[in-house]
Amino acid sequence: MVPTPHATLAPLLARHAGRAHELLPLLHALQDSDGYIDPAHVPAIAAALNLSRAEVHGVITFYHHFRSAPPPSTVVQVCRAEACRSRGGEALVAHIEACTGAKVDGEPCQDVGVESVYCLGQCALSPAVMINGELHARVSAARFDALLASQPARKAGEHV
Ligand code: FES
């Protein structure tokens, strides 16, 4: 038996019902709304789109973008592509790990998560980071510290 979907999911299921090729738009919309994709929703999504649970789970876990748990209050995405690497990006990564206590692409620390991304479209202004969805270019260690300190506290359930 498929569990009853919650308020956000129900209209998405209705909109994409029977359209297996619309799995990605549905997953993006759900994550945009909830901040993550609750694994408990996989059976309902699979049933609505005529897919197997394994297919839905496979797509969610294949794409690094999708989260299966609520995000931390502060999400730092640091560019690790070539232009940023050539302009001190990896030293910035080390600094970010040291000052947040969080390992890149690992578990959050003190409600700060750090993720790798590969090009934020700011190659000429590297190194670049995105903090809670806001893009920053030419980020030095000192500038990163100031940016992190200026992040507003978010309420429980609020996400980027
Ligand atoms: S390589 Fe980092 S923004 Fe393009």
Side-chain angles (χ1 to χ4, degrees):
M1 175 163 174
V2 177
T4 305
H6 78 335
T8 302
L9 183 57
L12 290 173
L13 295 180
R15 186 178 318 141
H16 299 284
R19 299 179 184 153
H21 64 282
E22 294 183 7
L23 175 60
L24 280 174
L26 185 156
L27 294 176
H28 279 285
L30 185 58
Q31 180 158 299
D32 288 349
S33 173
D34 291 359
Y36 73 109
I37 299 166
D38 189 333
H41 296 328
V42 168
I45 294 169
L49 274 62
N50 297 324
L51 293 167
S52 71
R53 294 177 189 191
E55 288 171 313
V56 175
H57 174 76
V59 170
I60 293 169
T61 54
F62 178 80
Y63 290 104
H64 181 73
H65 171 75
F66 293 126
R67 301 175 189 282
S68 293
S73 291
T74 301
V75 177
V76 176
Q77 294 174 304
V78 57
C79 179
R80 306 188 77 184
E82 197 57 42
C84 285
R85 279 180 179 264
S86 71
R87 301 283 303 268
E90 289 306 293
L92 181 61
V93 168
H95 175 78
I96 291 170
E97 286 184 328
C99 79
T100 63
K103 290 289 178 201
V104 174
D105 300 322
E107 291 298 313
C109 182
Q110 298 182 32
D111 222 13
V112 177
V114 183
E115 302 173 350
S116 298
V117 292
Y118 293 89
C119 197
L120 291 166
Q122 300 297 311
C123 309
L125 303 171
S126 58
V129 301
M130 188 176 285
I131 303 175
N132 288 344
E134 189 170 327
L135 188 57
H136 305 279
R138 289 188 175 139
V139 178
S140 64
R143 181 148 182 255
F144 176 80
D145 292 346
L147 290 168
L148 190 62
S150 69
Q151 293 304 303
R154 288 191 285 155
K155 300 178 187 119
E158 192 177 7
H159 61 87
V160 289

